[in-house]
Structure formats: structure tokens, C-alpha cells
Amino acid sequence: MTAKIRVSTDAAPAPAHTFSQGIRKGPIVQVSGQGPVDPRTNEYLFPGDVAAQTTRTLENVKAIVEASGATFDDVVMLRVYLTTREDFSIMNDAYGDFVTAHTTSGVPLPSRTTVFTGLPREEMLVEIDGLAVVSD
């Protein structure tokens, strides 16, 4: 039976509560929901700018994926949580730019779900979690 391993990196914000940045079990990597937080200062960045928040949040997800031994090409699913429907197209453009830039040409892009909901902090416009399967 494969052990469950906590994934941790200084390149992404430290978890604020009783959860891990990510968990790896065998080839499966689950990244906890990330927000637009600077990993050095743990400050929330870019108030009111959903595009910049999306990019910073994806950088945090990518750092945790890489700390697990996977690459962004191994990401199979990203879930995006937005506070307002009006931010969807702006988030979608920033998301598309990031994902395309960090996925090797010819590798399928991750699947995605977008949900509109309240988030834990008022300054958060976006939160993203992810699932990767490490290539052999």
C-alpha cells in the first residue's frame, strides 16, 4: 500500500489552517485550494484585479505540483472558484494564458470546473485547487 505524503514548498503560501499544501499518494497529487497570496509574505495580492489574482493563484498551484515531483503537464484537473459571474471572462483569459504558457505543446490542457461562490477572505476574488497524476 502506498503511503500518503504531505507536499510542502516555500514557493507557495504556507497553509493557514489544519491542512496541507498538497498530498501525494502514489502517482496522485491533490493540491489544496490556493489564493492570490505572496509565498514570502503571506499577504493577499492584487485587490480588485481578478486577472492578476488568477495568475498568482496558478503560480502557487504550479509550485505545489512541482514540489510533489510532478510537472504542470501532469495536471489533469483544475477547479476555479470565483466570487462573481462578472469576473468569468477576465479570469478565463488570464487562466488560458497561464495554462497555455506552462503546458508543453501537444499535451492536452487540464480539464476544468468553475464555480461561483463565497470565499474565505473578502479580498479573494479567486481560489484554485488541482489534481495531477505523475507520469511514469
Side-chain angles (χ1 to χ4, degrees):
M1 187 140 163
T2 305
K4 186 167 74 169
I5 301 166
R6 181 172 53 96
V7 177
S8 182
T9 179
D10 291 339
H17 301 288
T18 55
F19 59 88
S20 301
Q21 288 174 318
I23 292 291
R24 179 169 175 177
K25 185 167 169 89
I28 307 292
V29 178
Q30 176 66 55
V31 176
S32 290
Q34 297 297 304
V37 178
D38 183 319
R40 293 179 313 270
T41 65
N42 279 325
E43 304 256 343
Y44 283 80
L45 302 174
F46 314 114
D49 185 343
V50 73
Q53 284 195 13
T54 298
T55 300
R56 175 72 256 174
T57 300
L58 284 165
E59 288 169 352
N60 293 338
V61 169
K62 181 177 178 282
I64 297 165
V65 166
E66 290 174 348
S68 78
T71 70
F72 204 75
D73 285 342
D74 295 319
V75 174
V76 296
M77 175 65 174
L78 292 164
R79 280 175 291 271
V80 178
Y81 303 90
L82 287 174
T83 58
T84 67
R85 189 177 310 277
E86 293 75 26
D87 286 340
F88 179 80
S89 66
I90 297 167
M91 174 283 298
N92 200 47
D93 289 344
Y95 173 96
D97 290 345
F98 186 94
V99 172
T100 301
H102 292 92
T103 303
T104 303
S105 178
V107 173
L109 298 176
S111 60
R112 185 184 87 194
T113 297
T114 303
V115 178
F116 302 100
T117 188
L119 293 174
R121 302 269 308 231
E122 185 176 336
E123 59 269 45
M124 287 178 72
L125 302 176
V126 63
E127 182 175 5
I128 302 172
D129 69 3
L131 180 69
V133 179
V134 181
S135 301
D136 291 334

